[in-house]
Amino acid sequence: AEQPAAHPETDVRLLDLNKIVNSTYNPRKNFREDTLLELAESIKRQGVLQPITVRPVDGTDRYGIVFGERRYRASVIAGRDEIPAIVSELSDEEAEEMAITENLQRKDVTPIEEANAYQKLMESGRYDVQSLAEQFGKNENYIRTRLKFVSLIPEIAELLEKDEITISVASEICRYGTDIQKEVYYKHLKDSDS
C-alpha cells in the first residue's frame, strides 16, 4: 500500500491509515467535532490536499504523526484507507519541537495550549523568552504572559479555555498562589448553579 506519490523527491507516500498512530507530542488536545466533520466532508469530495508529516516508529511498520492529526482523524471519519504523508526521520526532540511549532502557528490555539507549548519548548533548554518571541513573531511580554498561564489552577484554566474569563482577568489571577486562586474561583467564578 506504500507507493511514492507524484513528487518522490519530497518523499510523499500514500500510507495505510491503519499503520498510523496518534502523536504524543501534539499540544492540541481538543479537536472540535463539528470542524472535524466538515473536514471529513471536504476529504470525501477532494481528498487530503496537504500531506501529513509522520516519522517511523522504531521496530515497527507503523508511523507516528508529527503534525496533521486533524487531517488524519478526518480521513478516518471520511472512511479513507490511505492518506498522503511526508515521512521524516526525526528524533523525539525534533518531532516534539516541530509538532509544537506547527500547532502554535494555527489561528485557533487556545491561550492554555499556547502556554503549555511555550513551557515545553522552554523546558527543552533550547529556548528562552527572547528566542521564543523571535521564533513566533511575538513580543517578549506576550510570551511571558502566556507562560504565566501554566500556573493557573485547572478550574480557572478551563474557564480561560472556554472564553468564560478574559486573558487580562487570567493574567491578574496568575499573580496569586494556588490557595488564593481557589478562593477566587469558588467565591467569584464558579457557576452558582452547580
Side-chain angles (χ1 to χ4, degrees), residues 32 48 67 71 108 119 123 126 128 130 142 175:
R32 289 185 38 206
V48 176
F67 49 83
R71 281 167 275 160
D108 59 348
Q119 181 69 27
E123 287 169 359
R126 292 187 300 276
D128 58 15
Q130 184 180 357
Y142 179 95
R175 297 171 57 194

Side-chain angles (χ1 to χ4, degrees), residues 5-51:
H7 306 288
E9 69 276 4
T10 58
D11 199 18
V12 175
R13 305 179 200 173
L14 278 178
L15 296 181
D16 184 331
L17 282 172
N18 294 321
K19 291 190 174 195
I20 296 176
V21 294
N22 288 345
S23 166
T24 54
Y25 302 123
N26 195 338
R28 165 180 285 200
K29 301 300 176 210
N30 302 312
F31 295 87
R32 289 185 38 206
E33 191 173 341
D34 57 335
T35 61
L36 275 179
L37 293 173
E38 283 174 20
L39 184 55
E41 282 304 312
S42 169
I43 287 171
K44 281 180 190 175
R45 287 192 309 275
Q46 300 177 290
V48 176
L49 300 178
Q50 183 181 7

